[in-house]
């Protein structure tokens, strides 16, 4: 009987983590990121394209709003200097009954930008943390690493 309980606990543990990681991979299926450097504006651009019905949250949410705000963390590098503020377009703002608060989000597509002062050729490396939702559910937050090649201007 004890052996059966241990086996059941292991099975449930594996089932839970399998479902959790499947959820992360499903989240990746509904959003595509494109990370580029725009030499004409001297900005890095982080573009999220979402499937119909899905949305991603603004960087600027009330602390207790519920969803995880989008966040960019950049590795320090002496080859360039980034602005301290990642810019975003004006988000959609509305009351979300699931979170019982006002939330700011983007659907279809959003481009986040950050000014770059290039000192020498290199690459901007970092991580974006984001959460996507639709009308029925939210996916667990995801951390995605990125690298953007920066040529010497």
């Amino acid at each position: 009987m004890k052996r059966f309980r241990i086996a059941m606990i292991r099975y449930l543990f594996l089932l839970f983590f399998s479902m959790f990681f499947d959820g992360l991979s499903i989240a990746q299926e509904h959003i595509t990121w494109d990370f580029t450097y725009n030499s004409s504006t001297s900005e890095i651009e982080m573009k999220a394209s979402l499937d119909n019905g899905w949305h991603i949250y603004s960087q600027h949410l009330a602390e207790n709003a519920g969803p995880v705000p989008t966040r960019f963390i950049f590795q320090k590098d002496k080859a360039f200097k980034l602005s301290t503020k990642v810019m975003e377009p004006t988000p959609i703002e509305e009351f979300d009954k699931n979170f019982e608060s006002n939330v700011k989000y983007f659907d279809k597509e959003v481009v986040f930008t950050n000014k770059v002062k290039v000192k020498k050729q290199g690459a901007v490396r970092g991580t974006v943390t984001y959460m996507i939702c639709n009308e029925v559910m939210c996916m667990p937050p995801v951390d995605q690493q990125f690298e953007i090649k920066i040529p010497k201007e």
Side-chain angles (χ1 to χ4, degrees):
M1 189 66 162
K2 185 176 181 181
R3 186 177 278 171
F4 176 75
R5 274 193 223 143
I6 291 171
M8 280 304 290
I9 290 171
R10 284 184 182 162
Y11 173 76
L12 291 173
F13 182 77
L14 289 172
L15 181 65
F16 170 76
F17 278 102
S18 171
M19 288 172 41
F20 176 76
F21 286 111
D22 282 348
L24 291 180
S25 67
I26 290 169
Q28 295 294 333
E29 293 173 9
H30 296 290
I31 186 170
T32 312
W33 285 93
D34 188 26
F35 302 95
T36 58
Y37 174 68
N38 185 333
S39 59
S40 64
T41 60
S42 297
E43 293 177 328
I44 56 171
E45 299 177 344
M46 290 92 37
K47 181 170 85 171
S49 301
L50 296 127
D51 287 349
N52 284 337
W54 290 88
H55 53 267
I56 187 170
Y57 293 94
S58 168
Q59 302 171 89
H60 312 290
L61 297 177
E63 196 170 307
N64 57 356
V68 174
T70 301
R71 182 179 64 223
F72 295 92
I73 299 174
F74 300 98
Q75 294 178 5
K76 293 197 184 284
D77 192 320
K78 294 181 181 184
F80 55 84
K81 183 177 180 175
L82 291 168
S83 170
T84 57
K85 190 174 183 180
V86 175
M87 303 302 291
E88 66 181 43
T90 303
I92 299 165
E93 184 172 1
E94 65 184 22
F95 183 80
D96 187 313
K97 65 181 186 240
N98 297 314
F99 293 114
E100 297 181 350
S101 64
N102 282 339
V103 295
K104 298 176 185 176
Y105 65 91
F106 305 97
D107 59 6
K108 296 180 183 143
E109 182 178 285
V110 59
V111 179
F112 299 92
T113 60
N114 196 338
K115 284 282 189 190
V116 181
K117 195 175 269 189
V118 179
K119 297 176 184 175
K120 61 181 181 178
Q121 184 175 337
V124 174
R125 292 177 183 85
T127 303
V128 58
T129 301
Y130 65 92
M131 177 177 169
I132 62 170
C133 297
N134 65 17
E135 291 296 318
V136 178
M137 65 179 167
C138 291
M139 293 290 131
V142 174
D143 292 330
Q144 182 172 332
Q145 295 185 341
F146 61 86
E147 178 177 294
I148 305 168
K149 302 281 187 202
I150 308 288
K152 177 69 176 138
E153 294 183 334

